[in-house]
Amino acid sequence: MPRLSEVLTALDALWPPERAESWDAVGTVCGDPDAEVDRVLFAVDPVGEIAEEAVRTGAQLLVTHHPLYLRGTTSVAATTAKGRLVHQLIKNGIALHVAHTNADTADPGVSDALAGALDLRVLRPLVPDAGDPEGRRGLGRVCELAHPLSAREFAALAARRLPATAQGIRLAGDPEAPVRTVAVSGGSGDSLFGAVAAAGVDAFLTADLRHHPASEFAADHAHRPLALLDAAHWATEWPWCELAAAQLDEISDRNGWGLRVHVSKTVTDPWTAHAASHGAAYEAAPDPAGAPN
């Protein structure tokens, strides 16, 4: 069996920590470098349900996409959920390693996995990494469909191909507009609207789209309508877990490590139910008191 330090060296070669954004918190959170590893679990979120799954499956290493302490901490006391998670992992001999924005921009990375889940052909990065002379790394991906679909049909395809969540897929724009080229970005993507406009695509699929940025983007580009598809954050990043697990499997085979690599299918999206609005009892009327934005 390899030691944890050997496995982490391999993971850092896939997703070099120096390629993470300056605000990010990637790398190893806890774990003994000399401990032996024979089972690894990949997941999106380092939360209690995932730690329990790691214990049940006998994993010695948990790799997550999202950081545990993104903004740092001065305590890991078990009086908080994150502190309890650290205690549970250490007590059960489980290391925690994070690959976040360094996995977002990797080749292949989070958006490649998202494109693959949607059966899209990747053309290029949406925001290329200036440090990559081959032009393959970067944030998001510009892709194309094998056959044109309407925006409504593409939204339905995304709903079928991505993991099921309470939110599903929200669509902004003309549902019948033709879609052939698509920009995708796993996780929160409305900061990429400028790059999406410059790419000249027909649709943009991402997560966490907010009212004002989406509305303003649509108004600014009314001359060339572009469909916005808003999926659940967790659902757009989960395909990366399968990609990352396959990459580690290949490394394990090449080195004769015999690792057993698993992908968590536990849904850690925070939204648990969805009620479709009908609006039958609502009638628009002036509000003399005004309404908050």
Side-chain angles (χ1 to χ4, degrees):
M1 286 189 291
R3 297 188 183 279
L4 175 63
S5 58
E6 296 176 275
V7 179
L8 295 181
T9 296
L11 296 184
D12 282 345
L14 291 174
W15 316 298
E18 63 270 17
R19 291 183 186 156
E21 295 289 339
S22 59
W23 51 262
D24 206 358
V26 302
T28 306
V29 178
C30 63
D32 179 356
D34 292 326
E36 292 185 330
V37 175
D38 74 345
R39 194 178 295 250
V40 182
L41 179 66
F42 281 85
V44 174
D45 296 302
V47 293
E49 302 98 304
I50 299 300
E52 291 168 6
E53 184 176 352
V55 173
R56 287 196 309 272
T57 57
Q60 298 88 25
L61 171 60
L62 170 61
V63 181
T64 65
H65 181 52
H66 288 151
L68 179 64
Y69 288 108
L70 183 58
R71 292 174 177 82
T73 187
T74 58
S75 170
V76 294
T79 52
T80 66
K82 292 186 177 185
R84 287 191 294 274
L85 186 142
V86 172
H87 280 253
Q88 185 177 19
L89 293 177
I90 293 175
K91 182 170 65 176
N92 288 279
I94 302 171
L96 172 61
H97 187 79
V98 174
H100 192 211
T101 53
N102 48 332
D104 285 335
T105 59
D107 171 36
V110 171
S111 292
D112 292 291
L114 175 56
L118 299 172
D119 206 19
L120 300 172
R121 185 169 75 91
V122 173
L123 303 177
R124 62 186 184 275
L126 178 61
V127 182
D129 182 344
D132 176 20
E134 296 183 3
R136 297 178 60 86
R137 294 197 311 267
L139 194 59
R141 294 293 184 266
V142 175
C143 313
E144 68 177 4
L145 286 157
H147 305 286
L149 298 173
S150 69
R152 187 195 306 276
E153 290 170 330
F154 181 55
L157 181 147
R160 290 194 305 271
R161 294 295 185 87
L162 295 180
T165 59
Q167 173 181 318
I169 307 294
R170 299 191 301 176
L171 171 63
D174 179 1
E176 306 310 322
V179 173
R180 180 64 184 265
T181 56
V182 180
V184 299
S185 181
S188 304
D190 58 19
S191 65
L192 301 176
F193 277 160
V196 170
V201 293
D202 302 316
F204 178 37
L205 187 146
T206 186
D208 298 340
L209 292 181
R210 296 168 294 162
H211 175 94
H212 290 297
S215 177
E216 291 164 7
F217 181 77
D220 286 342
H221 298 86
H223 61 287
R224 187 186 182 280
L226 187 152
L228 299 178
L229 291 92
D230 184 36
H233 190 121
W234 172 85
T236 64
E237 294 179 330
W238 184 86
W240 171 81
C241 295
E242 290 195 320
L243 169 64
Q247 290 177 286
L248 182 56
D249 261 332
E250 183 181 350
I251 293 170
S252 173
D253 290 344
R254 191 163 62 240
N255 289 288
W257 288 345
L259 291 176
R260 288 169 288 179
V261 183
H262 305 272
V263 175
S264 173
K265 294 187 177 180
T266 301
V267 178
T268 54
D269 186 78
W271 311 109
T272 56
H274 171 78
S277 57
H278 300 289
Y282 175 79
E283 293 183 4
D287 181 359
N293 290 328

